[in-house]
Amino acid sequence: MDPAFVSLAEVARQLAAKVVSPVDLTQLMLDRAAALQPRLNPFITLTPEAALEAARQAEREIVSGHYRGPLHGVPICLKDIVDTRGVRTTCGSKILADNVPTRDATVTERLVDAGAISIGKNNCSEFALGPTNENYHYGPARNPWDTERVSGGSSGGSAVAVAAGLAYAAIGTDTGGSIRIPASLCGLVGMKATYGRVSRAGVFPCSWTFDIIGPLTRTVEDAAIVLQAIAGYDRRDPASAGRPVPDFRADLERGVTGLRIGVPSNYFFDGLHPEVEAAARTAIEQLRQLGAAVEDLTLPHVELARDAHTTILLAEAANAHLTWLQTRPEDYCPDVRGRLETGALRLAVDLIQAQRVRALFQAEVAEAMARCDLLVTPGTPYPATPIGDSDKPINAIVGNVIFAMPRMTSVFSVTGLPAMTIPNGFTQSGLPIGLQLVGRAFDESTVLRAAHAYERAAGWYQRHPEVTDGFSDGATRLGRSKGV
Amino acid sequence: MTSDLTPGERRDVMRQLWRAAGLQEDEQRLDLQTGAFDGIIGIADRLRAADVDEYEPAPVFRPLEVY
C-alpha cells in the first residue's frame, strides 16, 4: 500500500517498531504537500523547518526508548483557526492575516505532548463561517476526488490534506457540521465529540455554545487515537467537562450486536440526492444485518432546531466579531460579512426564544435516545457541489448549497451530543457519500464502536483519490529508514 | 418584527436595527439585508410560534450529572 495512505494506527505501529523514521515520514508528507498545494490548496501555511525539527526530536526519543504513544512522530496538520505558538494563525481571514499567537491552543499543546508533528495550518472558511471552504482570501480548498468541486467546510483544508495523503490526521472545528460536512464530501471520518469533551481554549470562537474541536482521519480507529490525545478537562475552557476520559479504542471490536439504532424518518430523508438516500438506506440495512436492532422514529421539532441553530450561531458570531464588523467591515469577504450583519440585526427576544427551542429539542432527542443507543442519518443531503455554486438552489426542500450542506449536522450541534460521519460509498460519478452516527452525551465510545463495525464491513475507507502520481518514491524512502 | 410591513417600512426597520448595532452606514449593504428581511422574520416567527412554556433558555448543553 502507498505509505501516504496507510492508516495512522498502522503508521504508529511502524514508528513504535522503528520500522519507519519520523523524519522520513514527515519529509514524505511535506514533499507531497508542497507538490499538491497548487492543485488542492489545503494549506494556508506550511511549516517544514519546525516539522522536521520536531520529527528529529521524535526520532531521537523513539530510538532511545522514550516512546510516547500512537501519535509520536506522526505528521498531522491543524485548521488555521487553532492557535499555534509562533506560527501565524489567520482564521482564513484578511483581518488576522499576520496574527502570530504567543501561546498554543490546549488542543495544540496536547498534540505536541503526544509527540505529533504538525506540518502546517489548513485552509478553512473565513473565521469558520461557511460550509463549502470557498475562501475569498486564500482560495478554495479543492476536493481531491474532483478538484472542480468544494471540499466542504469550514474545515475543508483539513479534510483535503488527510484525504489526499498529506497527513495522517487533521484537526478541525465543528459548529454546525464543519468537521462532519468536509469529512462526508471528502470520504473521511470526522468526529464531533460531546460539547465540553474537548477544550476550545485557544481556538477562535465561531459560536461559543456550539463549537467543538475534533479529528478528521481516514479510519475510525485513527479518530479514536486523536480524540484520546485531545479530550479531557481544561481549566482554560469554562465549558470544559470534568468527566473522566475512557479508552476510546477499548470497545472498537465489540460490533453492533445488541445496539439499538434509531432512524429519524422525518426531515433527514427529505430532498436528498437519490444516491445519498440509497447509500444511507443500504448502510442502515447493513447495520441491521450486523446485529443492530433498527427502529424508525420521528423528531417533530427538528425543523425548529434548525432555526434555533441559525439564530444562535449568527447572533453569537456577530457578537464575537462586532468590533471588526463596525470598524473594518470591508475586510470580510462579502458572504461572511452578510451572515455576520444578519446576526447583528437579530432581536434579543428571538435569541432567547431560540435558546428555549434548543432546550425543547434537547429534551426531544433525549427522549429518543432513551430508547436508542444511536441515531443514524445521511451525512449531507448532497455530495460535493461545483466550486462557485454556493448560492445556487439544490431543490425546494433543502434550499441552496450553503443552507443545504449543514442540514443533517447542525441540528445535532443544537443537542451537544457526540456525532461523527464516516465514508458511505460513492456516487456513480465517483464522489464520496457520508453517513452520520449520533450518540448519547459522553458516550463517544459507542459511536466509535458502531462506526468501526460498519467501516470494516463496508470497506469504503480503503479507497483513496487518484493523487499519487509522482510520489512512487514514498515507499522507497520509507524502506530506507528501516532499522532507525 | 412583523411580516406585513411594506417594503419601505422594512427598510426603515432594518436601518434602525443597523444603527442600533453600530454598523457603518452603507446603503448597498442595507439593501442586501432588507432583501434578507423575509428570511430573518420567517425564522423569528417560526421560533416564536413554538410551544416552549415548559422550557427555560438553554444557553449551552450541560448534562447536570457532569458539571
Side-chain angles (χ1 to χ4, degrees):
Chain A
M1 185 178 192
D2 187 329
F5 290 100
V6 169
S7 72
L8 189 163
E10 175 55 29
V11 87
R13 283 187 280 273
Q14 294 177 8
L15 285 162
K18 303 173 191 173
V19 172
V20 297
S21 148
V23 175
D24 289 350
L25 206 58
T26 300
Q27 189 65 59
L28 172 66
M29 294 293 113
L30 288 169
D31 289 348
R32 290 177 61 86
L36 286 170
Q37 176 67 17
R39 266 173 69 189
L40 301 175
N41 198 28
F43 290 95
I44 290 177
T45 303
L46 275 165
T47 53
E49 291 176 8
L52 287 168
E53 178 52 39
R56 284 190 284 270
Q57 181 184 339
E59 185 161 302
R60 286 192 296 271
E61 291 174 353
I62 293 171
V63 168
S64 63
H66 297 94
Y67 181 63
R68 300 192 202 183
L71 285 174
H72 202 175
V74 176
I76 63 159
C77 42
L78 301 114
K79 183 176 183 177
D80 203 24
I81 198 165
V82 179
D83 278 355
T84 41
R85 181 165 51 93
V87 178
R88 74 168 180 157
T89 301
T90 69
C91 298
S93 72
K94 177 180 179 183
I95 288 172
L96 292 179
D98 300 316
N99 171 50
V100 179
T102 55
R103 183 175 183 181
D104 280 336
T106 296
V107 166
T108 310
E109 284 177 354
R110 290 181 178 183
L111 289 166
V112 169
D113 288 347
I117 312 294
S118 173
I119 66 165
K121 305 296 293 292
N122 293 121
N123 196 348
C124 57
S125 304
E126 183 179 19
F127 289 113
L129 282 161
T132 60
N133 205 148
E134 292 168 282
N135 190 302
Y136 183 82
H137 308 292
Y138 300 92
R142 295 177 177 274
N143 194 311
W145 294 92
D146 179 346
T147 57
E148 297 305 311
R149 291 179 183 264
V150 299
S151 56
S154 60
S155 310
S158 301
V160 173
V162 178
L166 314 182
Y168 293 92
I171 293 297
T173 65
D174 192 311
T175 303
S178 285
I179 289 172
R180 292 164 287 163
I181 294 166
S184 290
L185 301 192
C186 292
L188 294 176
V189 172
M191 176 138 212
K192 177 192 91 70
T194 311
Y195 182 84
R197 178 68 98 183
V198 179
S199 173
R200 304 161 306 157
V203 178
F204 195 93
C206 181
S207 170
W208 290 279
T209 64
F210 292 136
D211 291 346
I212 183 121
I213 293 85
L216 292 107
T217 57
R218 291 192 290 267
T219 73
V220 174
E221 183 182 17
D222 293 354
I225 289 170
V226 178
L227 183 61
Q228 198 75 53
I230 63 176
Y233 177 73
D234 176 25
R235 63 184 176 84
R236 290 173 65 193
D237 179 353
S240 182
R243 184 105 167 191
V245 178
D247 178 352
F248 291 120
R249 284 197 286 176
D251 291 339
L252 283 183
E253 302 297 339
R254 284 182 60 197
V256 295
T257 300
L259 290 183
R260 296 164 301 169
I261 293 177
V263 180
S265 57
N266 63 315
Y267 178 85
F268 294 95
F269 288 85
D270 299 339
L272 299 182
H273 186 288
E275 291 178 90
V276 171
E277 177 172 1
R281 296 202 184 280
T282 300
I284 291 162
E285 179 55 32
Q286 192 157 4
L287 284 164
R288 189 199 309 272
Q289 290 173 6
L290 289 170
V294 178
E295 68 166 282
D296 286 347
L297 52 84
T298 58
L299 297 172
H301 293 96
V302 64
E303 296 268 9
L304 273 180
R306 186 80 201 274
D307 288 335
H309 182 267
T310 301
T311 300
I312 296 166
L313 185 158
L314 292 180
E316 291 190 6
N319 180 280
H321 287 268
L322 190 57
T323 300
W324 289 331
L325 197 59
Q326 291 169 331
T327 58
R328 47 192 302 188
E330 68 284 353
D331 287 339
Y332 290 96
C333 72
D335 62 328
V336 169
R337 180 181 175 183
R339 272 171 237 151
L340 293 173
E341 287 169 349
T342 302
L345 302 178
R346 308 258 162 170
L347 299 183
V349 291
D350 292 323
L351 174 61
I352 297 299
Q353 184 73 0
Q355 290 174 339
R356 296 180 79 180
V357 168
R358 168 154 56 184
L360 181 157
F361 189 65
Q362 286 173 345
E364 185 169 290
V365 175
E367 189 179 327
M369 298 301 284
R371 304 194 309 274
C372 303
D373 300 294
L374 297 163
L375 301 178
V376 173
T377 77
T380 57
Y382 265 65
T385 50
I387 291 169
D389 279 4
S390 291
D391 291 329
K392 289 188 177 174
I394 292 178
N395 61 48
I397 295 172
V398 301
N400 67 16
V401 171
I402 289 281
F403 192 68
M405 283 304 176
R407 180 176 169 89
M408 307 294 158
T409 49
S410 64
V411 293
F412 293 112
S413 296
V414 171
T415 67
L417 298 175
M420 71 189 303
T421 51
I422 57 175
N424 192 31
F426 295 82
T427 64
Q428 287 187 351
S429 58
L431 297 174
I433 295 170
L435 185 75
Q436 180 175 230
L437 294 87
V438 183
R440 293 181 178 141
F442 296 101
D443 189 15
E444 290 86 1
S445 293
T446 299
V447 181
L448 290 160
R449 168 186 163 193
H452 180 75
Y454 178 71
E455 170 192 83
R456 296 294 138 169
W460 300 116
Y461 72 98
Q462 298 175 77
R463 286 177 62 171
H464 307 295
E466 296 292 330
V467 292
T468 55
D469 289 350
F471 300 106
S472 57
D473 62 333
T476 306
R477 185 199 317 280
L478 293 178
R480 275 207 314 270
S481 68
K482 280 189 175 184
V484 291
Chain B
M1 288 191 215
T2 175
S3 54
D4 57 8
L5 294 177
T6 67
E9 288 171 330
R10 291 179 183 194
R11 189 178 173 83
D12 288 343
V13 168
M14 295 306 279
R15 185 184 299 281
Q16 294 306 317
L17 289 170
W18 194 271
R19 287 175 174 166
L23 304 182
Q24 293 176 14
E25 293 286 334
D26 184 327
E27 293 301 317
Q28 189 179 3
R29 300 299 305 176
L30 191 57
D31 281 345
L32 285 171
Q33 288 301 335
T34 303
F37 189 91
D38 285 346
I40 294 174
I41 63 167
I43 288 176
D45 283 349
R46 287 195 296 274
L47 289 170
R48 289 176 190 185
D51 179 3
V52 292
D53 285 352
E54 293 180 23
Y55 300 97
E56 292 187 8
V60 73
F61 175 78
R62 291 193 173 199
L64 294 177
E65 74 274 17
V66 173
Y67 292 91

